[in-house]
């Protein structure tokens, strides 16, 4: 009887727990490139090297209640194609000659977007915690969808 009661209690406790939402990168044909658990309130970044200047740029996102939100960018220089759009976050110095754009807080439509990873040294990467996957290595110049998939359990 005790064993059955413990099993029932375990089922009740785990029923209220939900698995993490998933950040998934896929090829255009649906083949999966990478999948990461991203619990609500945690984040990830897309990193790449500027095609002309070569320095690393990052756009960082957060899982806010099951939705993908762009929260900040780091831009080491005001190089071609980079810059702050007034009214879209707050630009501050990074203390090393570059700048951060903080508090962007921009929801990504449909919790997904398409990226065409650059070749070679551009090296678009998806970084979640300490894990990094090079999208450029497996899908250079291809349409790659990066999507946050909500867990509905």
């Amino acid at each position: 009887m005790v064993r059955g009661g413990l099993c029932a209690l375990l089922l009740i406790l785990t029923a209220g727990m939900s698995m993490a939402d998933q950040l998934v990168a896929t090829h255009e044909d649906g083949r999966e490139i990478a999948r990461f658990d991203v619990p609500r309130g945690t984040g990830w970044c897309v990193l790449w090297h500027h095609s002309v200047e070569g320095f690393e740029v990052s756009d960082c996102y957060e899982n806010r209640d099951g939705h993908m939100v762009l929260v900040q960018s780091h831009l080491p220089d005001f190089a071609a194609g980079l810059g702050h759009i007034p009214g879209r976050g707050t630009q501050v110095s990074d203390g090393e000659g570059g700048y951060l754009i903080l508090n962007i807080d921009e929801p990504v439509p449909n919790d997904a977007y398409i990226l065409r990873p650059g070749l070679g040294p551009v090296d678009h990467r998806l970084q979640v915690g300490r894990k990094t996957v090079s999208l450029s290595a497996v899908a250079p110049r291809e349409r790659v969808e990066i999507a946050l998939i909500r867990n509905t359990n």
Side-chain angles (χ1 to χ4, degrees):
M1 179 68 178
V2 170
R3 189 169 143 192
L6 287 175
C7 287
L9 179 61
L10 184 59
L11 284 173
I12 290 168
L13 291 174
T14 58
M17 296 171 50
S18 63
M19 294 180 3
D21 298 327
Q22 302 283 302
L23 182 66
V24 181
T26 55
H27 292 274
E28 187 172 16
D29 64 7
R31 288 178 295 132
E32 194 171 290
I33 297 169
R35 177 179 295 265
F36 298 95
D37 285 343
V38 285
R40 294 180 184 190
T42 65
W44 65 92
C45 296
V46 175
L47 312 169
W48 72 96
H49 295 106
H50 190 271
S51 61
V52 176
E53 299 298 327
F55 52 68
E56 187 171 87
V57 178
S58 66
D59 287 322
C60 297
Y61 300 82
E62 184 178 302
N63 178 348
R64 288 205 184 148
D65 296 320
H67 295 284
M68 184 186 296
V69 178
L70 176 62
V71 293
Q72 73 177 40
S73 292
H74 179 241
L75 308 133
D77 194 312
F78 289 96
L82 302 179
H84 174 238
I85 300 169
R88 185 176 184 243
T90 304
Q91 178 181 315
V92 298
S93 171
D94 70 358
E96 297 178 10
Y99 59 102
L100 293 160
I101 302 172
L102 305 174
N103 305 312
I104 297 172
D105 298 327
E106 184 175 284
V108 175
N110 302 311
D111 302 312
Y113 66 95
I114 301 296
L115 173 73
R116 285 194 186 269
L119 290 172
V122 172
D123 194 21
H124 279 92
R125 288 155 287 139
L126 190 56
Q127 182 179 54
V128 181
R130 294 178 186 235
K131 295 181 181 177
T132 303
V133 172
S134 174
L135 302 174
S136 292
V138 295
R141 293 191 176 165
E142 293 181 28
R143 288 174 50 95
V144 172
E145 181 182 62
I146 299 173
L148 180 64
I149 310 298
R150 281 189 301 268
N151 180 14
T152 57
N153 291 334

